[in-house]
Amino acid sequence: MAPGGRALVDADALRLATWLTDVGARIVTDISPSGGRHIYVPLARPIEYRTAREIVEALATMYASLDASPHRSLRSGCIRTPGAAHKAGGHQQLTMTLSAAVDVLVRGNSPRTLERIHAALTEEIAAWRVSQDVEEPRHELEGQPQTRVHGLAPQLTRIARDGIYDASRYPSDSEARQAVLAGAARARWTLADVAVRLEDGRWPGLAGLYARYSPGHRRKALTRDWHRAQALVGHHTAEPASTSGNDTVHRSNTSAQESQGGRHPPQVSEDEHGFIRTWRAALRISERAGFPGRRWYGARFLLRALGEAAHKAGTRYIAFGTRSLAVATGMDHSTVSVLLHQLTAAGWIDRLEEARGENADLYALTLPQTIAETAPGLRWDKGKAHALRPAFRELGYVAALVFEAVEQDRAHTIRDLVTATGISRRAVHDAVDLLTAWGLLERTMTGLLPHAGLLLQVAEHLGVLEGVATQLRRYATERAAWQTYLARHDDNANPREITDADWWWPPDDAVACWTLVDVAS
């Protein structure tokens, strides 16, 4: 219940219902045994997640007791519907006749009504959009470095995301949310790292554990609990991360080039990036015929991972183990091994040296003989090379190929996407709907517009990063076991133990261009 009690909730609900009715909306209303109220605005047609959220966030700035958190996640955020049992006893009850409610639900509100609601909230929506570009609370950021050095434990991530915890371990919501904050403080996150995940819907579970507080007082409660968590783990500020080199992403023991035992590739020409771009262009124009159908999607993204790795290494010669490539493509390392043999036979790569000891196979990017002569005249693709970015582990290869085509400015309509990707119209249409629902694509008057900056946020919503961390941890253990074996047979080998430093977490949200090749390189 919000501060001010039931009187404030009732007053806000009446004002909001009146406002909605005045703009022509037809609504359904109910009340819970605890005094909370719901106002439903059924729609005749589906709308984008972003539009729905913007409307609710804008309304939350006008009505102090309105809780916007159920609209901040596509993964969760369910509420009790009329007739549902309440945890305190009793049921959610309609505050109107059943026949009237059914009529509103069956017919829904027209798109025109939604346009009127959106137009009436123009200023509030604009103000909310601006607020999303500001990291809060500012006073907690002063003097605190923004680099995280560890990730949150999987069981704590599940509490934060889903709000489900072991009652035998955490007697109440208070203990559960304190465990999450203590874990974040131990991992040397900042309060801003946690607060932004409550605000943007990535952690609806943790937001639900703060449901007893009104939106206006939730941040104060979070700040209080955060200081308590810092005191619990015994530190108040994060240690500065190393400033030598590029430490944005922790280099796990699945790393490739530096961990290959000092192997040096053959001497390279000055225009390696030019060759790699030509190789990428040749792959694009020939992969539809050379790798047709769904069974080859994995191969296509394995080649993209090799291309990205080559760009970042500055050479066509790359020494990546199968486990490193498995992380970059979301596949199992055994599948990667099979595909590497097939791609070698197809002429796209050439294995120059076999793996030995701690050194991975050394590969070179090559052009198949059938296109080697014409490839130098091809037009290079726009933008950077990308392997399978984390969000697409869950959204799928088709969505990744569609997004890539839009991002590289090769297609901006369904018809052009079918031509550019070689994927069926229905599959392309479904992928565009999926990407639009997650806010990764936007339909505009001039065509589809990509939003690559949201990829990390979507990956967290989908729980993908937890799976990446688990895969890296498993490969770290396997590599440590291999190094221990080598140490028994090679006096120059150095066995190692798995430490907390092997636990990976993605870089700061502001870094939008990273991919899993960064983790494995």
Side-chain angles (χ1 to χ4, degrees):
M1 184 68 64
R6 182 172 296 188
L8 176 61
V9 173
D10 290 347
D12 280 353
L14 178 60
R15 288 173 54 222
L16 177 54
T18 302
W19 184 88
L20 288 169
T21 302
D22 288 344
V23 296
R26 302 172 69 243
I27 61 177
V28 175
T29 57
D30 70 9
I31 186 171
S32 75
S34 63
R37 291 180 178 271
H38 293 155
I39 299 177
Y40 307 87
V41 186
L43 302 175
R45 298 179 186 175
I47 63 172
E48 293 183 2
Y49 160 71
R50 181 180 300 180
T51 301
R53 182 178 175 189
E54 286 180 343
I55 290 174
V56 175
E57 295 285 1
L59 291 172
T61 66
M62 300 167 59
Y63 304 97
S65 63
L66 194 156
D67 184 3
S69 60
H71 293 78
R72 288 174 177 158
S73 173
L74 279 172
R75 182 182 178 91
S76 59
C78 295
I79 61 174
R80 285 179 298 275
T81 56
H86 193 277
K87 63 181 180 180
H91 296 79
Q92 203 80 14
Q93 294 184 344
L94 286 170
T95 55
M96 56 195 302
T97 66
L98 178 59
S99 59
V102 169
D103 179 66
V104 174
L105 292 168
V106 169
R107 291 197 290 157
N109 286 278
S110 68
R112 180 60 183 160
T113 301
L114 182 66
E115 291 174 5
R116 288 196 295 269
I117 294 174
H118 201 274
L121 296 171
T122 300
E123 294 183 3
E124 289 78 6
I125 290 174
W128 177 77
R129 287 175 178 172
V130 171
S131 72
Q132 298 309 289
D133 296 329
V134 182
E135 290 191 81
E136 297 184 26
R138 285 291 181 184
H139 67 276
E140 285 297 322
L141 298 177
E142 296 176 0
Q144 294 193 18
Q146 296 301 298
T147 302
R148 296 187 289 275
V149 296
H150 297 304
L152 198 64
Q155 64 271 22
L156 297 180
T157 301
R158 283 191 289 271
I159 295 174
R161 192 178 61 224
D162 302 328
I164 300 174
Y165 56 87
D166 183 356
S168 64
R169 186 171 185 179
Y170 307 113
S172 69
D173 289 357
S174 177
E175 283 82 0
R177 66 175 185 251
Q178 197 66 53
V180 174
L181 296 181
R186 187 176 294 109
R188 296 180 181 178
W189 288 28
T190 66
L191 175 56
D193 290 323
V194 177
V196 71
R197 283 162 173 77
L198 265 70
E199 294 293 334
D200 68 16
R202 276 177 280 178
W203 281 2
L206 186 60
L209 296 179
Y210 280 98
R212 62 185 293 254
Y213 300 98
S214 70
H217 287 70
R218 190 170 300 165
R219 186 167 295 163
K220 293 181 180 179
L222 175 64
T223 302
R224 178 202 64 214
D225 291 348
W226 177 254
H227 290 310
R228 186 181 301 163
Q230 288 185 310
L232 181 65
V233 301
H235 68 80
H236 293 272
T237 58
E239 293 295 329
S242 171
T243 57
S244 61
N246 180 11
D247 290 324
T248 304
V249 181
H250 171 69
R251 295 185 179 271
S252 75
N253 72 340
T254 59
S255 299
Q257 307 269 9
E258 293 91 342
S259 64
Q260 301 308 322
R263 176 183 298 185
H264 298 286
Q267 186 67 33
V268 298
S269 68
E270 295 180 357
D271 194 22
E272 283 295 278
H273 283 295
F275 172 83
I276 299 166
R277 285 187 174 276
T278 298
W279 181 88
R280 288 172 50 202
L283 173 63
R284 174 177 54 78
I285 67 170
S286 59
E287 66 179 351
R288 287 175 52 186
F291 305 106
R294 292 180 174 272
R295 64 183 296 264
W296 288 107
Y297 287 160
R300 292 166 72 170
F301 278 97
L302 178 55
L303 287 168
R304 283 161 170 74
L306 292 168
E308 181 182 350
H311 269 307
K312 290 181 176 178
T315 172
R316 75 189 72 182
Y317 303 99
I318 46 181
F320 261 47
T322 55
R323 285 169 173 79
S324 295
L325 291 170
V327 172
T329 57
M331 295 185 285
D332 185 78
H333 68 279
S334 61
T335 303
V336 169
S337 180
V338 172
L339 289 175
L340 287 172
H341 285 289
Q342 295 174 337
L343 296 175
T344 300
W348 287 101
I349 56 176
D350 185 21
R351 189 171 69 168
L352 304 180
E353 295 181 24
E354 294 185 4
R356 178 177 298 178
E358 295 184 37
N359 295 332
D361 291 328
L362 179 64
Y363 285 94
L365 303 185
T366 59
L367 290 168
Q369 292 183 355
T370 54
I371 59 174
E373 294 183 2
T374 58
L378 293 175
R379 183 177 180 178
W380 292 347
D381 292 340
K382 294 182 179 180
K384 299 180 179 180
H386 289 295
L388 189 72
R389 285 172 282 191
F392 295 113
R393 283 190 172 205
E394 186 70 24
L395 299 179
Y397 288 128
V398 173
L401 290 169
V402 168
F403 186 83
E404 175 190 78
V406 178
E407 186 180 32
Q408 292 180 353
D409 201 26
R410 292 190 283 115
H412 294 281
T413 65
I414 298 293
R415 177 182 298 177
D416 292 342
L417 282 168
V418 172
T419 302
T421 63
I423 301 171
S424 71
R425 182 178 182 85
R426 179 170 181 176
V428 168
H429 196 284
D430 289 344
V432 169
D433 284 345
L434 178 64
L435 292 167
T436 303
W438 283 103
L440 296 174
L441 288 183
E442 179 183 355
R443 289 185 171 94
T444 68
M445 295 295 292
T446 57
L448 296 169
L449 179 69
H451 295 292
L454 296 177
L455 283 167
L456 177 58
Q457 181 175 320
V458 172
E460 272 198 86
H461 272 306
L462 293 170
V464 174
L465 302 183
E466 183 181 339
V468 174
T470 300
Q471 184 182 23
L472 282 165
R473 187 76 170 183
R474 176 164 64 90
Y475 287 162
T477 303
E478 291 173 359
R479 183 162 294 184
W482 172 244
Q483 291 174 334
T484 300
Y485 170 82
L486 290 176
R488 294 199 298 265
H489 299 82
D490 184 351
D491 293 337
N492 295 322
N494 297 313
R496 66 186 296 277
E497 295 181 356
I498 305 299
T499 67
D500 286 342
D502 290 300
W503 192 257
W504 168 87
W505 193 251
D508 189 84
D509 292 3
V511 184
C513 61
W514 73 281
T515 74
L516 290 175
V517 170
D518 293 310
V519 182
S521 61

